[in-house]
Amino acid sequence: MIELSHIDFYFDKRPVLLDISFNIEEGEKAVLLGPNGSGKSTLLKLIAGLLFPKRGKYLFNGKEISKKRLKDKKFERAFRKDVQLMFQEPDIMLFNPSVYEEISYGPLRFGMDNIKERVLKVADFWGINGLLKRPVYLLSGGEKAKVALASLLVMEPRLLLLDEPTAYLDMKSTKSLCKLLKKERFTTLVAMHDVHIARYFGERFIVLSKEHRIVFDGPFDRFKESSLFEEFGFFKEESEACLKGGPYER
Amino acid sequence: MHIPDGMISPKMYIPLHVVNAGLLVYGFKRIKNKIDEKTLPYIASCAALSFVLMLLQVPLPGGTSVHGVGVAPIAIIFGPWMGFVAISLVLLIQAIFLGVGGITSFPVNALCIGFLGSFTSYYIYLFLRNLLKDKVAMFLAGFFAILVAALFIAISLGIQPMLSPYYFPFGLKTTIPVLLVPHIFVGIGEGILTVLIYEFVKKGIKNE
Amino acid sequence: MNRDNLMLILLFLCIIILSFINNIAFLFGYFLSITVFFLIIRGRVGTLISGILRVLPFLVVLSFAFYISSLLSKGHPYRYLVILNLRVFDMVLSLMFFREFANPLRALSFSSTLTYIFILSYSQIKTFTELYYDFSLVMRSRMVLDTSYKDRILFLRKMAGYFFKKAIARAEDTAMAMKARGFFLYD
Ligand SMILES: Nc1ncnc2c1ncn2[C@@H]1O[C@H](COP(=O)(O)OP(=O)(O)OP(=O)(O)O)[C@@H](O)[C@H]1O
Ligand SMILES: [Mg+2]
C-alpha cells in the first residue's frame, strides 16, 4: 500500500530522515519506534502527504505522492479521505465548535452518508456520547485525544497513522484502541515509545535511530533478541514478565 | 490601557467601528494573499501569543515591573497587518468573553493599540535598523509603539467633552499627561520585551 | 442566523440605545431591571458583583477627580456623574446578561471563517494561558524567591521565546492538520 524508497528529509539544513525505505502492505499493522527527535512524527506527516521529501520517492497505491500530484483536487480528495493521521498533540486537530461537529466534520467534508449514525457509533465506542454537545476546547487532554481518534475513525480510512495515540489515554481506552485496531481491516502505522504496549499494536516493528535512519525492520520477537533492544532502554526479563501477564490479550 | 464601555460617545464610536471593520477585512485579505492556507492558524497563534505576552510581567530596572503588550514583536516579525488583526482579535475576545475593555470602545482600542501600534513599530524598525544597532532599533520600535498608542488613546478620550456631554469628562490638557507619563514605563517594558524576543529569534536561527 | 447571533445583535442595539439616552430615569430603570433580574430570577449575586467590581475602581477614580475639578471650577457635577456612572453600569450589566445567556463563540459566528478564527484563537489562548500559569509555578518552585534582575530578565526571555516558538510550531501544525482533514478542499 505504501512504498518509501530512499527518502531524505531536512528541516532547513538539519537532516531529520535519512535514506528511509520500506513497504507496508494493505492490512498490515506496523509500529514505528525511535528515540525522541528521531523523526517519527515527521515520517508520519510525510506519509500523510503533508510534508514532502527532499530526495526519494513515496508511492501510495502505486501513485507517487508529490506536491504536484496533490494539486489535482480530485486526487487530493481521495487521498486525504483514505489516509487519516492523528497528530502527536491531538489539541491542534480540533477546530470545531462542539464535539459532535468535530466528529462529523470529516464525513460532511467528504460527502459521506448516514452521518449521524456514524458519529453516534464511534462516539459510543469511545464513551464520549455524553460530550457530544460540549465545546471541544474545554475538554481534558484524554477526552480531546478520544475526540481526535473518533474523528479519524469515523472516516473509515484505509490507512491510519497514529502518533503516540496512547500518550493521553487511560489504560482502559488504550486497551480498547488495541482491540479495535486488531479487529479492523485497515492498515495502521503507529508511532510509540513503550514496546510492551506497542507489541499489541502490531507485529511488525520499524525502528528509527537517533541518527534518523532505519536500524531495524521485522517482527517483535527478532527485535527482542537483537542488541538494539537494550540500547533502547528495554530489558528482556522485564519485558518477558510484562508479556506473560498479557494484559492486552484479555 | 483598555478603555471601558461608556466613555466614548456614539458620534465617535459608530464611524470608528465602520473604519475598523473595513481595515480588519482589508488586513485579513492582505494576510491571506501572502500565506494562504496558513492564514487562520497564524492569526490564531499570533492572537494567543499577544494574549500571553500581555500576561507577562516585564521587570524594569529599579524593581518595578509592567505588563507587556506584545504588539511590537508581532508586528515586526509577522508584519504590521498581522499585528493589527491579532491584537484586534484579542481585544474583541477580551471584551466579549472576559468583560475586559468594552464594545463601544473596541474600535478605539483596536485602532490605537493594534493599528497604530503595529504600524509605528514596524516602520520605526524598518527606518532605524540601518542607522542604529539592531537591538536599539528594536527597543525604540517597542517603546514608540506604546507611546503612540497611548497618545492616541489620550486624544480619543480628551476630545469626548467636545463631542457630547456625559461621556469621558476630561479634556486633552488632562488626558495627555495623565496617560503618557505612566506609559513611558510600559513603553520601556515593551521595548525590553521586543529586544528579548528578537534575541531569541536570532539565536534560534543561528543554532539551526 | 442562530439564537446566539440574535442575542449579540440585541446586545449591540441595547448598547447603542443606552449610549444615546441621557435620561436619568431611563438609565436607572434599566439598571434596576437588570439587577432585579440577576438577583431574583437567576440568583446570581456573584456574577452581578463581579461585573460591577470590574469597572468600579476606574469609575471611582474618574468620578472623584471630576468631582474635585468641578468643585474648583464651581460647577454642578451631580447630574453629569449620575448619568456617566449609570450608563457604564448599564452597559457592563448588559454585557454580563448576554454572557449569561449566550455562547459568545456561537454568537460571533456570522460566517464560517469567523467561526474558525474565533475557535482556533480562543482554544489556543486557553492552552497558552494554562501554560503560562504552569510556567509561573515553575518559576516559584525552581528558583529562589529573591532573584536578581538579570535572572528575571533571563527567565522572561525564556518564557517569551518559548511562547513565540510554540506559536509558530502550533500554527504550522494546525495548518497541516486542517489540510489533512480536508479543510482546503473546496468543491
Ligand atoms: N517544524 C520544524 N522545524 C524545524 N525542525 C523541526 C520541526 N519539526 C521537527 N523538527 C526537528 O526534527 C527532528 C525530528 O522531529 P520529530 O518530531 O519527527 O521527532 P519524533 O521522533 O516524533 O520525536 P518525539 O518522540 O519526541 O515525538 C527533531 O530534531 C526536531 O527538532
Ligand atoms: Mg513525535
Side-chain angles (χ1 to χ4, degrees):
Chain A
M1 174 173 238
I2 59 180
E3 297 164 48
L4 300 169
S5 48
H6 305 293
I7 288 204
D8 288 352
F9 184 87
Y10 291 78
F11 269 119
D12 301 317
K13 292 214 170 79
R14 200 170 53 205
V16 177
L17 294 171
L18 290 171
D19 197 24
I20 304 291
S21 305
F22 62 83
N23 296 351
I24 294 182
E25 300 306 325
E26 182 109 43
E28 209 172 340
K29 317 276 180 202
V31 171
L32 187 59
L33 228 57
N36 295 131
S38 55
K40 298 181 299 299
S41 302
T42 310
L43 183 56
L44 291 182
K45 285 175 191 164
L46 218 132
I47 295 174
L50 298 166
L51 297 171
F52 301 94
K54 189 169 170 199
R55 261 189 300 275
K57 255 192 184 156
Y58 162 36
L59 305 183
F60 179 79
N61 284 336
K63 292 210 175 93
E64 186 178 355
I65 302 299
S66 61
K67 235 181 208 158
K68 215 174 116 208
R69 176 50 84 29
L70 287 176
K71 285 242 161 68
D72 174 2
K73 287 287 170 202
K74 217 170 132 201
F75 180 81
E76 186 181 5
R77 228 184 132 88
F79 176 74
R80 300 237 181 269
K81 184 177 178 309
D82 283 348
V83 182
Q84 294 288 321
L85 164 64
M86 176 168 171
F87 284 70
Q88 188 163 358
E89 206 56 65
D91 214 11
I92 62 151
M93 331 177 25
L94 309 172
F95 47 80
N96 286 289
S98 68
V99 173
Y100 180 84
E101 279 157 286
E102 194 66 65
I103 302 177
S104 60
Y105 180 84
L108 268 174
R109 267 275 130 169
F110 290 95
M112 293 164 76
D113 52 1
N114 299 335
I115 292 177
K116 192 161 181 194
E117 283 158 40
R118 287 170 195 268
V119 174
L120 291 181
K121 204 175 128 215
V122 279
D124 198 43
F125 180 84
W126 288 105
I128 49 176
N129 357 30
L131 305 177
L132 286 175
K133 282 205 177 116
R134 292 258 294 276
V136 183
Y137 49 86
L138 293 181
L139 302 179
S140 77
E143 287 168 338
K144 280 181 187 164
K146 287 181 195 166
V147 175
L149 277 168
S151 2
L152 302 184
L153 291 167
V154 74
M155 296 295 296
E156 298 178 354
R158 289 173 66 191
L159 172 60
L160 186 64
L161 306 164
L162 303 176
D163 200 346
E164 296 186 33
T166 58
Y168 288 89
L169 294 181
D170 54 34
M171 214 52 200
K172 204 166 155 227
S173 319
T174 304
K175 288 184 188 175
S176 354
L177 181 62
C178 283
K179 264 191 216 135
L180 180 83
L181 294 193
K182 220 167 236 170
K183 198 179 79 197
E184 296 285 341
R185 273 173 301 115
F186 47 64
T187 318
T188 55
L189 179 58
V190 187
M192 293 275 303
H193 284 298
D194 187 334
V195 260
H196 303 129
I197 302 181
R199 168 86 180 65
Y200 296 95
F201 277 88
E203 246 324 296
R204 176 171 171 200
F205 277 50
I206 300 170
V207 183
L208 287 173
S209 68
K210 66 177 188 299
E211 288 78 29
H212 316 293
R213 290 173 191 277
I214 292 189
V215 283
F216 182 87
D217 184 353
F220 173 74
D221 292 330
R222 237 177 64 217
F223 180 56
K224 202 173 73 183
E225 297 309 321
S226 77
S227 61
L228 279 168
F229 197 62
E230 294 204 355
E231 240 173 72
F232 271 69
F234 305 119
F235 295 100
K236 250 179 242 156
E237 305 80 53
E238 188 183 286
S239 96
E240 257 144 33
C242 266
L243 293 178
K244 215 178 285 155
Y248 303 97
E249 306 288 12
R250 269 173 260 148
Chain B
M1 185 137 77
H2 302 23
I3 310 173
D5 265 327
M7 295 295 127
I8 306 288
S9 114
K11 277 187 199 147
M12 180 154 168
Y13 78 70
I14 291 177
L16 284 191
H17 257 300
V18 175
V19 172
N20 188 47
L23 283 174
L24 280 176
V25 170
Y26 177 74
F28 181 79
K29 288 205 172 126
R30 286 283 297 246
I31 300 170
K32 190 150 179 158
N33 280 340
K34 220 165 100 191
I35 54 175
D36 194 28
E37 293 181 349
K38 293 182 180 170
T39 306
L40 298 187
Y42 264 95
I43 289 178
S45 265
C46 286
L49 184 62
S50 79
F51 189 93
V52 84
L53 291 180
M54 286 181 202
L55 294 176
L56 294 188
Q57 295 272 340
V58 184
L60 300 183
T64 51
S65 61
V66 293
H67 280 290
V69 178
V71 52
I74 293 177
I76 294 172
I77 294 164
F78 297 102
W81 286 107
M82 182 59 97
F84 169 52
V85 172
I87 300 271
S88 306
L89 197 57
V90 171
L91 290 170
L92 193 63
I93 287 178
Q94 284 179 331
I96 294 189
F97 290 66
L98 312 172
V100 178
I103 293 175
T104 55
S105 54
F106 166 66
V108 182
N109 289 328
L111 288 171
C112 293
I113 307 172
F115 189 78
L116 293 172
S118 292
F119 279 87
T120 309
S121 55
Y122 182 74
Y123 282 105
I124 285 189
Y125 175 68
L126 271 198
F127 179 68
L128 289 182
R129 75 170 169 191
N130 297 323
L131 306 174
L132 299 168
K133 270 211 236 150
D134 239 7
K135 247 181 167 178
V136 183
M138 282 279 172
F139 179 84
L140 290 176
F143 180 74
F144 282 110
I146 298 302
L147 277 205
V148 168
L151 176 68
F152 276 87
I153 285 189
I155 293 175
S156 321
L157 286 174
I159 59 176
Q160 296 309 314
M162 292 175 230
L163 292 175
S164 36
Y166 308 120
Y167 285 90
F168 188 81
F170 296 105
L172 292 169
K173 267 189 221 136
T174 320
T175 57
I176 292 184
V178 164
L179 272 172
L180 277 197
V181 172
H183 277 97
I184 290 177
F185 298 101
V186 182
I188 296 175
E190 178 83 356
I192 294 177
L193 192 63
T194 314
V195 173
L196 291 180
I197 291 185
Y198 166 77
E199 275 180 345
F200 180 89
V201 172
K202 211 171 89 175
K203 220 177 112 200
I205 291 168
K206 247 194 234 153
N207 279 352
E208 291 292 318
Chain C
M1 188 83 62
N2 56 34
R3 193 186 68 111
D4 304 72
N5 290 150
L6 287 175
M7 298 237 354
L8 187 68
I9 292 171
L10 186 70
L11 170 72
F12 284 162
L13 281 180
C14 285
I15 283 189
I16 291 176
I17 291 170
L18 283 173
S19 71
F20 274 104
I21 289 179
N22 296 326
N23 179 320
I24 292 186
F26 177 85
L27 292 175
F28 189 68
Y30 192 98
F31 179 72
L32 218 58
S33 32
I34 291 204
T35 311
V36 165
F37 183 85
F38 265 111
L39 289 184
I40 298 175
I41 302 175
R42 292 289 280 190
R44 294 291 178 93
V45 194
T47 323
L48 185 74
I49 293 176
S50 79
I52 291 182
L53 277 185
R54 197 166 282 143
V55 282
L56 205 59
F58 177 76
L59 279 180
V60 168
V61 173
L62 190 74
S63 307
F64 187 71
F66 183 67
Y67 182 72
I68 300 288
S69 79
S70 54
L71 278 192
L72 294 179
S73 61
K74 304 214 165 48
H76 297 281
Y78 301 110
R79 185 179 156 75
Y80 203 115
L81 280 180
V82 168
I83 292 182
L84 181 85
N85 281 289
L86 271 180
R87 181 166 19 235
V88 174
F89 284 134
D90 282 354
M91 286 181 169
V92 169
L93 291 181
S94 312
L95 189 58
M96 314 241 25
F97 184 89
F98 164 77
R99 301 218 331 261
E100 196 66 22
F101 282 94
N103 173 347
L105 267 180
R106 285 198 188 281
L108 285 163
S109 59
F110 286 98
S111 78
S112 66
T113 308
L114 272 180
T115 314
Y116 288 121
I117 288 188
F118 280 109
I119 288 171
L120 286 172
S121 317
Y122 188 72
S123 57
Q124 198 168 344
I125 283 176
K126 250 189 77 57
T127 324
F128 272 28
T129 313
E130 278 162 22
L131 279 172
Y132 165 76
Y133 286 113
D134 285 351
F135 240 122
S136 327
L137 294 182
V138 167
M139 172 135 143
R140 232 178 284 160
S141 71
R142 291 191 53 189
M143 287 169 95
V144 216
L145 265 178
D146 194 30
T147 43
S148 69
Y149 182 70
K150 207 177 148 218
D151 279 355
R152 289 172 61 197
I153 282 284
L154 279 180
F155 191 77
L156 177 71
R157 183 169 95 174
K158 205 171 133 212
M159 198 143 75
Y162 169 82
F163 280 115
F164 189 84
K165 216 168 71 182
K166 188 102 187 154
I168 294 185
R170 182 154 168 157
E172 293 285 337
D173 260 9
T174 307
M176 270 192 246
M178 289 166 84
K179 195 175 200 167
R181 295 190 62 198
F183 192 88
F184 303 109
L185 295 169
Y186 333 103
D187 325 13

